[in-house]
Amino acid sequence: MKITIVQFAPIFGEKENNIEKIINYIKSDSADIILFPELCTTGYFFTGRAELSPVAEYREGEFCSEMKQLAVERNIIIIAGFAEKAADKIYNSCGLFFPKPEYNSIYRKTHLFYKEKFSFEAGDTGFFVVDYKEWDIRIGTMICYDWRFPESARSLALQGADLIVCPSNLVTDVWQNVMSARALENMVWLAVSNRCGTESRNGEELVFKGNSAMYDTYGRQLGICSADNEEALTIEFQPHTSRNKSFNEFNDIFNDRRPEYYK
Amino acid sequence: MKITIVQFAPIFGEKENNIEKIINYIKSDSADIILFPELCTTGYFFTGRAELSPVAEYREGEFCSEMKQLAVERNIIIIAGFAEKAADKIYNSCGLFFPKPEYNSIYRKTHLFYKEKFSFEAGDTGFFVVDYKEWDIRIGTMICYDWRFPESARSLALQGADLIVCPSNLVTDVWQNVMSARALENMVWLAVSNRCGTESRNGEELVFKGNSAMYDTYGRQLGICSADNEEALTIEFQPHTSRNKSFNEFNDIFNDRRPEYYK
């Protein structure tokens, strides 16, 4: 199975241009799964709800509809972050669109970073795994700052994730070792799609650090994008190898757990 | 406050020689805390209970008594791994010996690695923190393979550990990034005392990988020992900085947790 991790710099607020770019990436790609960064339709650094609301959209909106259709037409799994309206709330969400639309799902970011708290509601979906039986692959999603909490990836792995995807807008470099640790400590495949570029608001500049990467079940980096260029990274992987959690004759990292002693 | 991490190669089964060496390290050191590897009195690669039993000892035994006394005499915290007898069981334990003996504690390794399962019982103390009020430092202990389970360090950090110590007999290299992740994801100080040297039993050789190291609350390595030499590494650190879990104006890694969504 192949996954393409797309690293690009959405233009702040220019939703139509960004979606056009996303569609072009999808149409020019031949992997089975294509992964885009967090908030890839809108850009990131919103200063509040009033500014965010016009570019956020309901799950029945244009962007999701387009992605749903493309996933079916091209027989591909599309995973992309977007600002999701739901009643009077807006979530920092990630849509997962499958060739069989009955599997389509939306994850809402659990842990909000920095000034996101002014624009978004904290997610209420929790961590879940989509068991896509058509291809026998189990995908779990976390978004950006969720990486910092070992419970995020752990919750996904314990629910059977083969592959954890992490659409991101990461502005530090401290996450790289930790993503490798997340893969290793859970023996899962892990794909990080980070954005690149910069955004400035009210005199404050955020520099997004790129370096989108794929890790295997031993935490080894299988490929990495540059820090600041738009690019797509395609990696072949074997999702099922994550289902064996033993690494020698006597140890299995899940059977060895002792939850009765965990706080 | 200063900690000395001692990396050495205990000689298998030669308890008296090993203890003499340990005492010499303690007597020649001037740090506040001194940390020794896992099973540093006995060596590691026991093939079963019958072989281990003669060198294991009760907590009232000679080794612990000696350490208790030295901690008081030298006004130092001594932390060292040893094989602990308790009734008809043997645990892979770590003794913490304080200048005020009422704080003395023993942690029993929660997650057993590889053939340890033939010699030791899985620990029953769980993860706990000693709040040493005399110096206002809170110390949590995990042993070697406990590193692989994010719940180990997390359980200690959630109980207020400033410093996590990890006496080890590590035989791979995959732990190094993860120890840094453990420090960062919990914003704690973390000291790993690994042994070096080799042990062969029944035609199987274990190579212990050294590289004992200290990490700060951002996961940065403050010092590291060689892969294969006996040596002592002394690091100055500020335990209290671990009590502030925020890293910007809006995020605090403990307040941001959402346990209702963790499996």
Side-chain angles (χ1 to χ4, degrees), chain A residues 111 114 123 250-251 258 262, chain B residues 111 114 117 123 251 258 262:
Chain A
H111 306 95
Y114 200 51
F250 303 104
N251 290 108
R258 303 190 67 201
Y262 303 157
Chain B
H111 306 96
Y114 199 51
K117 297 180 182 188
N251 289 108
R258 303 189 68 200
Y262 302 158

Side-chain angles (χ1 to χ4, degrees), chain A residues 109-115 117-118 122-127 145 147-152 154-156 158-159 174-175 177-178 180-182 184-187 217-219 247-254 256-258 261-263, chain B residues 109-115 117-118 122-127 145 147-152 154-156 158-159 174-175 177-178 180-182 184-187 217-219 247-254 256-258 261-263:
Chain A
K109 187 175 185 176
T110 303
H111 306 95
L112 295 181
F113 183 73
Y114 200 51
K115 296 182 180 174
K117 297 180 181 189
F118 298 135
D124 59 356
T125 56
F127 298 99
Y145 181 52
W147 71 264
R148 185 135 187 172
F149 303 83
E151 295 89 350
S152 307
R154 193 57 141 192
S155 297
L156 295 169
L158 288 172
Q159 291 174 84
V174 294
W175 55 273
N177 278 355
V178 182
S180 159
R182 296 285 172 264
L184 174 72
E185 72 203 15
N186 292 298
M187 294 187 82
T217 61
Y218 290 88
F247 62 94
N248 66 39
E249 199 180 338
F250 303 104
N251 290 108
D252 175 301
I253 60 162
F254 277 9
D256 288 345
R257 294 179 76 242
R258 303 190 67 201
Y261 293 119
Y262 303 157
K263 305 285 173 197
Chain B
K109 187 175 186 177
T110 303
H111 306 96
L112 295 181
F113 183 72
Y114 199 51
K115 296 183 179 174
K117 297 180 182 188
F118 299 135
D124 59 358
T125 57
F127 298 100
Y145 181 52
W147 72 264
R148 184 134 189 174
F149 303 83
E151 296 89 351
S152 307
R154 192 59 141 192
S155 297
L156 295 169
L158 289 173
Q159 292 174 83
V174 294
W175 56 273
N177 278 354
V178 183
S180 160
R182 296 285 171 261
L184 174 72
E185 72 203 15
N186 293 299
M187 294 186 82
T217 62
Y218 290 88
F247 62 94
N248 66 39
E249 199 179 338
F250 303 103
N251 289 108
D252 175 299
I253 60 162
F254 277 9
D256 288 345
R257 293 179 76 242
R258 303 189 68 200
Y261 293 119
Y262 302 158
K263 304 288 171 194

